[in-house]
Amino acid sequence: HLCSWLPLLAKAGAASGEDRYFDEACVQLLGHQRWLEDPLTFFWYSAFGRGAHPRRVTPGLWGLGNAYLLAGIVSLLEHLPRNHKHYVDVICLLRRFTNSLHEYLPVGGGWRQVLDNLQSFPCNDGSALLTYGYATAILNGWVEPQYYAAVWGGVYHIGATTDKDGNFSFSSLPHGGLDAVEAYEQHCLQNDPGTLGFILSG
C-alpha cells in the first residue's frame, strides 16, 4: 500500500538517480487519488472494489488509512526533486489534504476512526501518525506554518488519551476496506502495543 510503496520508490530514486522511480511513485499516488479521494472532504476511502461493493469505493473515511496516506506523501516529498513534473501536483494534493485534516480535528480526543464522523472513537494510532505527517510537512515548508495548531492539538490528544501507566486507549486495527461504516466501530483494539511506534513518531 502507498505508505510502504511511496517511501521505497522515493528512496530508490534518490539512491539511483533514476527518475523512473519517482515517476512510478507519482503515477501510483495520483492514480489512486482519482479513484479514492472524496470530493467533499478530500479524505480518501481505504479501498476500491472490495466485498459488498465490487464497483465502487468501500464506505468510511478511515482515519488510520488516511494517516498511512499522509505519511507516504511526506516520505515521497522528502526525496522528490523540486523540478520533477509532478512535484507541484503532489504539493497541491498535500495542501488540500492537510487543510481538511485541520478542519476536522475535533476539540476533544484527536482524529476519529472515521474522520468525518465525530461519533466514532478517537483513534490513537491514526492521530499519532497524522501528527507526524503534519509536523513533517510544516518543518519542510510544504504547508503553511499556521497549521502548527493541528500538530499541537495532535500531541495534546495523544497525551490526553494515554494514561500514567502507558495504556493507549483505543486504536484502529491496521487494515481497513470494511464493507460498512458501522463495522469500523468494532474495528479496534485497546492498549495495543503496536500503537507505541505511532505514538513515538507523533
Side-chain angles (χ1 to χ4, degrees):
H1 70 47
L2 291 175
C3 185
S4 302
W5 276 108
L6 295 181
L8 182 62
L9 289 166
K11 289 175 183 177
S16 67
E18 296 185 34
D19 280 347
R20 63 191 178 100
Y21 292 107
F22 297 123
D23 295 344
E24 180 62 24
C26 292
V27 164
Q28 291 294 328
L29 176 62
L30 300 173
H32 279 79
Q33 179 190 18
R34 285 191 289 273
W35 286 99
L36 298 177
E37 185 181 59
D38 174 48
L40 296 178
T41 63
F42 300 116
F43 297 137
W44 286 28
Y45 295 98
S46 61
F48 179 84
R50 287 184 55 181
H53 307 282
R55 293 184 179 85
R56 64 182 179 87
V57 291
T58 55
L61 298 168
W62 180 41
L64 182 56
N66 280 270
Y68 288 148
L69 171 65
L70 181 58
I73 292 171
V74 298
S75 296
L76 170 59
L77 283 170
E78 285 178 329
H79 299 285
L80 187 66
R82 286 177 172 261
N83 62 354
H84 189 273
K85 61 184 178 182
H86 288 303
Y87 182 84
V88 173
D89 296 325
V90 177
I91 288 289
C92 289
L93 191 165
L94 174 67
R95 289 179 178 176
R96 185 166 59 240
F97 187 61
T98 52
N99 184 62
S100 287
L101 286 169
H102 184 271
E103 180 180 347
Y104 279 86
L105 174 62
V107 173
W111 285 287
R112 304 293 164 156
Q113 169 78 324
V114 178
L115 288 171
D116 63 339
N117 179 2
L118 298 182
Q119 303 307 309
S120 59
F121 64 83
C123 179
N124 263 2
D125 43 8
S127 289
L129 196 56
L130 289 168
T131 300
Y132 157 77
Y134 238 124
T136 302
I138 291 170
L139 290 171
N140 283 282
W142 301 322
V143 301
E144 294 296 323
Q146 293 91 323
Y147 285 126
Y148 81 89
V151 177
W152 186 93
V155 172
Y156 171 80
H157 292 310
I158 293 167
T161 53
T162 305
D163 70 18
K164 62 183 177 62
D165 297 317
N167 299 310
F168 309 134
S169 188
F170 291 112
S171 304
S172 178
L173 287 166
H175 50 83
L178 304 184
D179 293 328
V181 176
E182 295 76 18
Y184 281 98
E185 195 59 32
Q186 287 76 46
H187 192 67
C188 68
L189 296 169
Q190 191 163 13
N191 198 30
D192 174 28
T195 300
L196 181 59
F198 293 119
I199 288 176
L200 292 175
S201 69

